[in-house]
Structures are given as C-alpha cells and as structure tokens.
Amino acid sequence: VPFNWRAWLGILGGLVAFAVIAVYGGLVPATFVAVFVSALASKANSLRDAALLAAALAVAAVLVFSYGLKLQLAPFAWG
C-alpha cells in the first residue's frame, strides 16, 4: 500500500494553519482555513465541498467556543 502523502500533508497543514492564523486572525479565519486545507486532503472533496464544510464548521466553532464555552479567543483579530 503506497503512503498517502496528500492526506498527511493536508492534515498537518491544517493544524499548522490553525495555530498560526488563530493568533493573528482569530477563531473564524483559523477554523475556516484549517478545515478547508484538511478537507482538501481527501480526493473525494471538491473545492466547493471543502469551502461549504469550512464555512459551516467556522460558524459552529463560534457558537460552541465563543458563545457556549466563553473561550477567550476572539472570532476575528487583526494583527
């Protein structure tokens, strides 16, 4: 079985993107980019599907973490 580099790099890329963007951009952009990059790790997902999934999970993240759990990570941060 060949090693699936696309999947590994997509998931790791999503994690790194979240860590970097959360500090400078906030929860919404970080979640969107992390989910979008990770979703593209699968050949089954199109750009449209990845974008829709990322948008839905970004909204869910704000509802759960910002409003539900009162997490101290701003939905949007500039710099």
Side-chain angles (χ1 to χ4, degrees):
V1 176
F3 192 73
N4 191 350
W5 284 103
R6 178 180 176 149
W8 276 96
L9 293 176
I11 300 301
L12 291 175
L15 289 171
V16 170
F18 185 87
V20 172
I21 297 172
V23 174
Y24 299 106
L27 179 64
V28 173
T31 303
F32 184 89
V33 171
V35 173
F36 185 77
V37 170
S38 297
L40 290 179
S42 170
K43 292 180 183 179
N45 289 328
S46 66
L47 288 174
R48 179 184 149 280
D49 292 342
L52 290 173
L53 178 64
L57 286 179
V59 170
V62 169
L63 292 175
V64 170
F65 295 111
S66 291
Y67 295 115
L69 297 174
K70 307 286 190 240
L71 186 70
Q72 297 298 315
L73 179 60
F76 293 96
W78 312 110

